[in-house]
Amino acid sequence: MGTLFGTDGIRGIANDTLDNRTAYRVGLATAYQLRKAAGRRPLVSVGKDTRISSDMIEAALSAGLCAGGANVVQLGVVPTPAVAYLTVSNHADAGIVVSASHNPFPYNGIKIFSSQGFKLSDEMEEAIERMVLSTGALPAEVEPAQLGQIYNGHFALENYVYHLLSTVKSEISDIRVLMDCANGAASKTAPRIFNRFNIGVSYLHDHPNGVNINEGCGSTHLEDLQAKVVAGCYDIGIAFDGDADRCLVVDEKGQLVDGDRIMAICAAHLLERGQLKNGGFVATVMSNLGLHRFAEDHGLRLACSAVGDRHVLELMQEKGYVLGGEQSGHIIFLDHMTTGDGQLAALQFLQILCQSGQSVSRLAARVPQYPQVLRNVPAPHDAAGKDALVHHPAVQAAVARAEELLGGDGRVLLRPSGTEPLLRVMAEAGTEELAARAVAMVAESVETAQK
């Protein structure tokens, strides 16, 4: 992880740590590196989410790309996975998303995809970062005749919608669905996708105003969706995040079905039909111990990566798996998409639900869950500061005491957030009370170590 690029691209406060100057320099440096690699004028797809700062950053980023000699296709407000897909289908040299995903509206970010629709390589990110962080003017601006141009690519979104619909191979019908669009990119795409099925579908938080993205809604704030699923007697609730690359499910009783359980259900379904390549899938070190038990009981191979979709994808490719994801609902179906796609995950889960003839709660009950407690503890912004805190002797001693408390029937995990100034402390145990005690022990040591 570099100074500028975290585990999920560049992230910062709009007009502060992520300002127009930075966005311009990212565009300029990206154009330079792409031009250098291709030996010609590059084409870059640019999409954005609904937050108020996205227009500003898109404009500065596009100006930098053009100044560096790249042509730009502006896709408008689209989900992050749509940018990845359209970059490949339009034969662009790269795709860039202006979004801070699940973060509140003051944040924004810049995520870059390669021409193959995958995250940009570490080497390319490092080269761009070195240029952006260098002092003074960048030697990358081209002569007037070589300047890039901006094209309107809003029409291309329908190609992405058709692609998602093409992945549906069995009937989705006769269920009632409540869908939370997080006042984000799914507000634009979800009705175009899910209204085409014979289902009763209603939408929540689908009126973005620039500052309400992820505000008390979406996959990070499920309370409203949970209450309204029960009150409205819906069969299922589905929640996306701001850029629609995550999907979480709420059952008919208002209970969460997280990414672990969604993946487990999908993996077992694919294995039964001989469609789970190499018989396995990838989760992360944060995944619940119940997922491991389910995998063992159902003959599924389970590999665990570090947290972050980049790490999940890398391990999927290494193992030759076509399914992987995170507890947070970021799930990759590699046969259909090169990155996590919340709406794609929803379509795959709805197919399985309709074929099963079961309720969501009964389907999810197949996957056991250990009580899991997670606490976010404030930490330094920089990666080095977070790592130093993780390895602080007093913190490590507290982790050892917490693991001893669990007595081998559970685990403790301490890791730095890749996108926020936080350390995440997680514990699993036979009871929630025991897990909470272990988390409190470690969290207090982290807070004390910073005083």
Side-chain angles (χ1 to χ4, degrees):
M1 190 190 309
T3 303
L4 189 64
F5 285 92
T7 56
D8 200 26
I10 301 167
R11 196 71 59 87
I13 302 292
N15 230 21
D16 185 358
T17 52
L18 180 53
D19 58 11
N20 284 340
R21 178 179 180 275
T22 302
Y24 176 85
R25 289 171 73 89
V26 170
L28 187 60
T30 301
Y32 175 84
Q33 294 297 336
L34 292 174
R35 196 173 73 246
K36 179 180 174 183
R40 54 172 171 74
R41 181 191 298 278
L43 175 66
V44 181
S45 303
V46 177
K48 60 186 175 183
D49 69 17
T50 59
R51 63 195 75 219
I52 195 169
S53 60
S54 290
D55 289 351
M56 175 190 77
I57 295 173
E58 176 196 43
L61 180 69
S62 297
L65 288 165
C66 290
N71 286 335
V72 177
V73 177
Q74 291 184 341
L75 302 172
V77 172
V78 294
T80 286
V83 176
Y85 175 77
L86 294 173
T87 294
V88 176
S89 65
N90 293 340
H91 306 290
D93 296 279
I96 303 181
V97 188
V98 178
S99 174
S101 189
H102 60 283
N103 290 149
F105 90 88
Y107 287 85
N108 216 322
I110 298 173
K111 183 188 300 186
I112 308 177
F113 291 104
S114 71
S115 60
Q116 289 79 42
F118 297 114
K119 295 291 179 66
L120 210 59
S121 69
D122 291 341
E123 294 74 20
M124 182 69 86
E125 277 192 356
E126 288 167 5
I128 292 169
E129 181 169 299
R130 282 195 299 272
M131 291 185 69
V132 174
L133 297 180
S134 64
T135 58
L138 296 181
E141 293 176 338
V142 299
E143 296 296 323
Q146 298 175 307
L147 291 170
Q149 294 179 287
I150 296 176
Y151 301 93
N152 186 328
H154 294 201
F155 64 89
L157 182 59
E158 203 61 27
N159 295 335
Y160 165 73
V161 170
Y162 285 139
H163 173 66
L164 291 195
L165 293 171
S166 75
T167 70
V168 177
K169 304 303 181 183
S170 62
E171 189 174 10
I172 298 176
S173 63
D174 301 323
I175 55 173
R176 297 186 68 240
V177 183
L178 184 59
M179 200 161 283
D180 185 342
C181 297
N183 290 315
S187 303
K188 185 171 183 179
T189 52
R192 300 187 188 196
I193 297 167
F194 297 95
N195 286 359
R196 304 194 186 196
F197 298 97
N198 184 29
I199 58 177
V201 57
S202 302
Y203 299 95
L204 277 179
H205 307 295
D206 59 335
H207 292 88
N209 61 14
V211 299
N212 62 359
I213 186 171
N214 300 315
E215 184 181 21
C217 60
S219 62
T220 52
H221 301 281
L222 292 169
E223 298 81 10
D224 190 38
L225 178 65
Q226 290 172 309
K228 288 178 178 173
V229 164
V230 174
C233 298
Y234 287 92
D235 297 302
I236 184 173
I238 296 173
F240 305 115
D241 64 338
D243 66 338
D245 68 350
R246 297 187 187 192
C247 165
L248 291 178
V249 166
V250 170
D251 71 18
E252 75 283 359
K253 300 176 183 179
Q255 299 171 329
L256 166 66
V257 180
D258 65 14
D260 279 353
R261 284 179 151 180
I262 294 170
M263 274 195 297
I265 292 165
C266 291
H269 178 83
L270 292 171
L271 184 68
E272 288 172 4
R273 284 153 182 77
Q275 297 171 348
L276 191 67
K277 188 177 178 183
N278 292 333
F281 65 105
V282 173
T284 76
V285 293
M286 290 290 286
S287 288
N288 195 279
L289 289 173
L291 181 64
H292 293 259
R293 182 189 295 173
F294 179 87
E296 291 171 4
D297 291 345
H298 290 78
L300 292 160
R301 295 173 179 167
L302 175 60
C304 287
S305 74
V307 173
D309 58 318
R310 175 192 291 270
H311 302 301
V312 170
L313 179 60
E314 287 173 353
L315 190 54
M316 288 174 65
Q317 292 173 317
E318 177 186 324
K319 297 286 186 180
Y321 294 162
V322 294
L323 176 65
E326 302 182 89
Q327 197 177 58
S328 62
H330 193 281
I331 302 173
I332 303 171
F333 291 85
L334 201 51
D335 279 344
H336 305 304
M337 193 66 66
T338 57
T339 189
D341 190 321
Q343 292 169 117
L344 173 62
L347 287 171
Q348 303 311 304
F349 189 85
L350 287 173
Q351 287 184 92
I352 295 169
L353 176 65
C354 290
Q355 286 181 43
S356 74
Q358 300 179 27
S359 65
V360 177
S361 62
R362 186 172 179 183
L363 199 59
R366 298 170 58 198
V367 189
Q369 281 193 313
Y370 275 62
Q372 189 178 77
V373 175
L374 173 67
R375 184 189 297 185
N376 293 321
V377 184
H381 283 266
D382 61 292
K386 293 175 188 174
D387 288 339
L389 196 54
V390 167
H391 294 98
H392 191 286
V395 173
Q396 285 297 304
V399 171
R401 290 195 303 273
E403 289 175 337
E404 186 178 347
L405 173 70
L406 299 183
D409 186 28
R411 62 175 180 142
V412 175
L413 181 66
L414 174 66
R415 71 172 188 88
S417 168
T419 59
E420 298 175 273
L422 300 169
L423 290 189
R424 306 199 194 279
V425 186
M426 187 272 286
E428 289 174 340
T431 67
E432 186 170 350
E433 180 185 0
L434 198 57
R437 286 174 59 193
V439 165
M441 190 178 294
V442 177
E444 287 169 9
S445 75
V446 172
E447 291 167 350
T448 301
Q450 296 183 81
K451 292 179 181 177

